[in-house]
Amino acid sequence: MRYKRGWIAVFLFSLTMINYMDRIALSIAATPIAKDFNLNAVDLGYLFSAFIWGYALFLIPMGFLIDRYGAKKMAGIGIFVWSAATALTGVVTGFSHLITARLIMGAGESVSNPVGAKVIRQWIPASERGMTTAIFNSGSYAGPAICSVLLGALVTMYGWRISFAIAGAIGFVWLLAWWLFFDSPQKAKWLSDEERTYIVTNLNAKNSTAQHSEDRAQGLLALMKTPTLWGLAITQGCNVYTQYLFLTWLPSYLQTTMNLDIKHTGVFSAVPYAAAVILCIFVGRISDKYLLKGGVGTGRRRNAVALSMLVGATILFVPFTTSPTVVLIVLSIALTGVASTTSLNFALLNDMLPTSKDVAKAMAFVVVGGNIFGMIAPIATGYVVQASESYNWAFGIAGLLLLIGISVVMTMTRKPMETDAKFLLKEERV
C-alpha cells in the first residue's frame, strides 16, 4: 500500500512550523524593538503575551466553526489572517500598534491546533495517531529552530522589520498549496481506493470502551462534565507554561547570561528546538508501539505523557550551571520533554473522545487551558527577571508546574469522555 496519507502529516507539520515561526519572530527581534520603542522587561513581557490573548479568546469559537464548516475552509481563513498580521508587524510605528498586530495574529493562529486534531482524526488510523500527532506538534519546534537562524541573520543584516514581511509571505505560500490539494479522505482524488478504504475502516480505536455513535456529537457542555477533559486542559497548562517561557524569553536569556549578539543567539536558540523536533517524533512512534497490543481507547498513553513531563522538569537544573554547553544540553532535554508532552497529550485527547465530531471543540478547550498558563508565563517571567535580576526563579517555577502536571494527568484522565445519556439528549445541539 502506498502511504499517501503521509502528505497530510507534511501539511500539518508545515502549518504549525509557520505558526511558530511567526510567533518567535518577535522574540528574535526583541532587543532592537525594545531599543526603538524604549521598552523595559515588563513591557516586553506584555508584548510577548499579547498574541496569546487573541489566540485564547478565539480558540473555542474557532473549534465550533471548524467542527461545523470543516478544516479546509477554516484553516485557510486562519492562516490568511495571521500571515497578514505578521507581515504588517514590520510597518508598525508604535507600541500600541505592535500589541494590536499581535492580537490579530493570535486570533488567526487559533485555528491551528483544532484543525490539526480534526484532520488527524479524519485521516489517520488510530494505530498511527501518536506519531502523526508528534509530527504535527514537532513543527512548532522546527519553526523556532529555522526561524532563530534565518530571522536572526536577517535582523542583523537588514533590521527587524524585513523579518516580519518574509515570515508573513511564507504563510501565503502554504495557503495556496492547502487550497489546491487538501480535502477529506473520502473526496481526495489523489488517494487510491485501497488506502481510502484502509483509512476509513481504521479511524477508531477498536478497544475503546466508548459506546456513542460516531455520527452523534456530544457537545462541549457535555464533555465539560467529564474530569478527563479538565485533566487534559490542566496538564496542557502546566506544560505550556514552560513552552512559552522558551518561546518568548530564551533569546533574551541567552543574550543576557552568555553575552551573545542577535546572530549567535539565533544559532544557540535553534539547538534545543532542533533536538526537540527529532526526539519528539521518535517518542510519538514509541508511544504507538507501546499501545499496539491494546490501550489506545483506555488512555494508557497517559503514562507516556507523565514520563515526558518528568523529562521536561530537567529545566530545574538550568540555574545550577554556567557552562554554555551544559546549558544547551539541559535545555534540549527539557524542551524535548515539553514537546513530547504536548503531542502525547493531544493524542490522548483523540484516544479518549468517542466521536470525531467533537474533536475540534474539545481540542480548543484543552488548548485554551494551556494558553491561560501560557498567557501568564511571559508576563510573570518579566516581573521575576526585573525583580530578581536573574532567570533562576523563572526556570524553577516552570519545573514545579511540570511536576504538578504529572499528578494531574495520572489521576484525572482515567476514563473515556463519555457522558450521561439524558444529559447528552439535552446538550447534543451545543
Side-chain angles (χ1 to χ4, degrees):
M1 180 186 296
R2 297 179 64 187
Y3 292 89
K4 287 191 174 181
R5 60 186 177 278
W7 285 106
I8 298 302
V10 173
F11 262 125
L12 295 180
F13 175 87
S14 55
L15 172 67
T16 191
M17 181 182 74
I18 295 167
N19 185 316
Y20 276 78
M21 283 181 66
D22 293 351
R23 293 189 192 191
I24 203 174
L26 182 65
S27 301
I28 296 297
T31 298
I33 288 175
K35 183 178 180 180
D36 285 357
F37 294 102
N38 194 28
L39 307 179
N40 59 31
V42 173
D43 295 330
L44 282 175
Y46 280 102
L47 182 58
F48 289 148
S49 179
F51 86 90
I52 311 175
W53 308 342
Y55 184 72
L57 181 64
F58 280 86
L59 266 168
I60 290 178
M62 199 62 71
F64 278 94
L65 290 173
I66 291 166
D67 278 333
R68 181 168 183 177
Y69 295 108
K72 181 171 184 175
K73 181 182 294 185
M74 297 311 301
I77 293 172
I79 198 166
F80 177 87
V81 170
W82 97 55
S83 296
T86 299
L88 291 174
T89 303
V91 298
V92 297
T93 57
F95 183 64
S96 62
H97 297 156
L98 273 173
I99 293 285
T100 301
R102 299 296 284 184
L103 285 169
I104 296 172
M105 189 193 81
E109 288 192 354
S110 65
V111 305
S112 181
N113 281 316
V115 160
K118 187 77 170 182
V119 171
I120 288 170
R121 185 60 178 257
Q122 290 178 332
W123 268 92
I124 306 301
S127 62
E128 303 170 10
R129 199 176 288 154
M131 183 174 179
T132 305
T133 305
I135 292 171
F136 165 53
N137 182 60
S138 66
S140 62
Y141 299 89
I146 296 169
C147 189
S148 295
V149 176
L150 174 63
L151 297 191
L154 286 172
V155 170
T156 300
M157 291 187 292
Y158 303 109
W160 63 269
R161 295 182 183 275
I162 190 66
S163 64
F164 288 95
I166 291 174
I170 293 171
F172 288 109
V173 174
W174 184 94
L175 175 59
L176 178 62
W178 173 262
W179 203 254
L180 289 175
F181 296 108
F182 180 79
D183 215 325
S184 67
Q186 292 84 355
K187 297 179 181 178
K189 296 179 181 179
W190 45 267
L191 196 64
S192 69
D193 290 338
E194 180 187 7
E195 186 171 3
R196 193 190 327 274
T197 301
Y198 178 80
I199 290 171
V200 172
T201 56
N202 288 277
L203 288 176
N204 297 314
K206 295 179 181 179
N207 62 327
S208 174
T209 60
Q211 299 297 318
H212 292 294
S213 171
E214 180 68 19
D215 63 0
R216 171 181 282 183
Q218 296 185 81
L220 183 59
L221 293 182
L223 294 173
M224 287 173 65
K225 294 290 184 178
T226 67
T228 294
L229 185 64
W230 288 95
L232 291 167
I234 296 170
T235 300
Q236 189 70 8
C238 291
N239 188 61
V240 165
Y241 185 96
T242 302
Q243 182 178 352
Y244 278 105
L245 171 62
F246 273 91
L247 191 66
T248 56
W249 281 101
L250 179 59
S252 297
Y253 163 73
L254 294 173
Q255 290 167 21
T256 302
T257 60
M258 299 185 187
N259 299 314
L260 299 177
D261 58 23
I262 293 176
K263 182 177 180 179
H264 288 92
T265 296
V267 176
F268 269 67
S269 297
V271 173
Y273 285 107
V277 171
I278 298 169
L279 295 175
C280 177
I281 295 173
F282 174 74
V283 171
R285 178 57 179 161
I286 293 297
S287 78
D288 281 339
K289 287 189 174 182
Y290 168 65
L291 297 171
L292 268 180
K293 295 182 179 179
V296 172
T298 60
R300 285 181 60 203
R301 206 186 302 266
R302 76 176 70 85
N303 299 327
V305 174
L307 182 59
S308 294
M309 295 192 89
L310 186 61
V311 172
T314 55
I315 196 173
L316 288 167
F317 294 105
V318 171
F320 298 100
T321 180
T322 56
S323 165
T325 301
V326 175
V327 166
L328 281 182
I329 291 172
V330 174
L331 291 176
S332 297
I333 293 171
L335 194 58
T336 295
V338 170
S340 299
T341 297
T342 297
S343 61
L344 292 170
N345 202 45
F346 287 170
L348 180 59
L349 169 72
N350 248 325
D351 293 348
M352 304 299 275
L353 271 173
T355 169
S356 65
K357 291 185 178 295
D358 288 319
V359 169
K361 60 179 75 76
M363 173 64 93
F365 183 87
V366 169
V367 176
V368 165
N371 280 273
I372 289 173
F373 285 71
M375 196 182 302
I376 295 169
I379 298 172
T381 302
Y383 279 109
V384 167
V385 170
Q386 184 157 294
S388 65
E389 298 183 349
S390 169
Y391 286 82
N392 290 349
W393 272 106
F395 292 122
I397 293 168
L400 289 173
L401 282 171
L402 286 166
L403 295 177
I404 291 170
I406 292 172
S407 65
V408 172
V409 75
M410 292 303 293
T411 57
M412 294 184 65
T413 66
R414 306 196 69 84
K415 295 181 179 180
M417 284 181 271
E418 299 176 271
T419 54
D420 181 81
K422 293 181 180 179
F423 185 83
L424 176 61
L425 290 174
K426 295 179 181 179
E427 302 295 341
E428 63 182 343
R429 292 187 178 181
V430 175

